[in-house]
mmCIF file of all heavy atoms in Angstrom:
data_model
loop_
_atom_site.group_PDB
_atom_site.id
_atom_site.type_symbol
_atom_site.label_atom_id
_atom_site.label_comp_id
_atom_site.label_asym_id
_atom_site.label_seq_id
_atom_site.Cartn_x
_atom_site.Cartn_y
_atom_site.Cartn_z
ATOM 1 N N LYS B 274 32.081 46.285 -63.275
ATOM 2 C CA LYS B 274 32.652 47.308 -62.387
ATOM 3 C C LYS B 274 32.448 46.938 -60.921
ATOM 4 O O LYS B 274 33.378 47.003 -60.114
ATOM 5 C CB LYS B 274 32.015 48.677 -62.696
ATOM 6 C CG LYS B 274 32.182 49.101 -64.149
ATOM 7 C CD LYS B 274 31.618 50.480 -64.423
ATOM 8 C CE LYS B 274 30.094 50.585 -64.268
ATOM 9 N NZ LYS B 274 29.330 49.799 -65.242
ATOM 10 N N SER B 275 31.221 46.532 -60.597
ATOM 11 C CA SER B 275 30.960 46.170 -59.196
ATOM 12 C C SER B 275 31.740 44.926 -58.806
ATOM 13 O O SER B 275 32.215 44.795 -57.672
ATOM 14 C CB SER B 275 29.464 45.946 -58.971
ATOM 15 O OG SER B 275 28.756 47.145 -59.194
ATOM 16 N N GLN B 311 26.576 50.317 -54.436
ATOM 17 C CA GLN B 311 25.643 51.008 -55.315
ATOM 18 C C GLN B 311 24.366 51.405 -54.573
ATOM 19 O O GLN B 311 23.866 52.504 -54.737
ATOM 20 C CB GLN B 311 25.301 50.076 -56.479
ATOM 21 C CG GLN B 311 25.324 50.761 -57.818
ATOM 22 C CD GLN B 311 25.377 49.744 -58.955
ATOM 23 O OE1 GLN B 311 25.923 48.659 -58.852
ATOM 24 N NE2 GLN B 311 24.780 50.112 -60.053
ATOM 25 N N ASP B 387 30.827 53.277 -55.670
ATOM 26 C CA ASP B 387 30.217 52.558 -56.783
ATOM 27 C C ASP B 387 28.938 53.265 -57.235
ATOM 28 O O ASP B 387 27.895 53.148 -56.599
ATOM 29 C CB ASP B 387 29.895 51.115 -56.352
ATOM 30 C CG ASP B 387 29.559 50.229 -57.552
ATOM 31 O OD1 ASP B 387 29.422 50.768 -58.674
ATOM 32 O OD2 ASP B 387 29.432 49.014 -57.357
ATOM 33 N N GLU B 388 29.039 54.012 -58.318
ATOM 34 C CA GLU B 388 27.912 54.771 -58.871
ATOM 35 C C GLU B 388 27.068 55.436 -57.790
ATOM 36 O O GLU B 388 25.864 55.198 -57.709
ATOM 37 C CB GLU B 388 27.016 53.843 -59.714
ATOM 38 C CG GLU B 388 27.782 53.196 -60.848
ATOM 39 C CD GLU B 388 26.858 52.514 -61.859
ATOM 40 O OE1 GLU B 388 25.710 52.983 -62.019
ATOM 41 O OE2 GLU B 388 27.287 51.536 -62.473
ATOM 42 N N VAL B 419 33.361 54.751 -59.506
ATOM 43 C CA VAL B 419 32.761 54.040 -60.632
ATOM 44 C C VAL B 419 31.547 54.795 -61.138
ATOM 45 O O VAL B 419 30.727 55.283 -60.366
ATOM 46 C CB VAL B 419 32.329 52.616 -60.211
ATOM 47 C CG1 VAL B 419 31.283 52.070 -61.157
ATOM 48 C CG2 VAL B 419 33.525 51.695 -60.178
HETATM 49 MG MG1 LIG C 20 27.481 47.904 -60.687
#
Side-chain angles (χ1 to χ4, degrees):
Chain B
K274 303 183 294 295
S275 296
Q311 225 164 329
D387 193 352
E388 301 192 30
V419 159

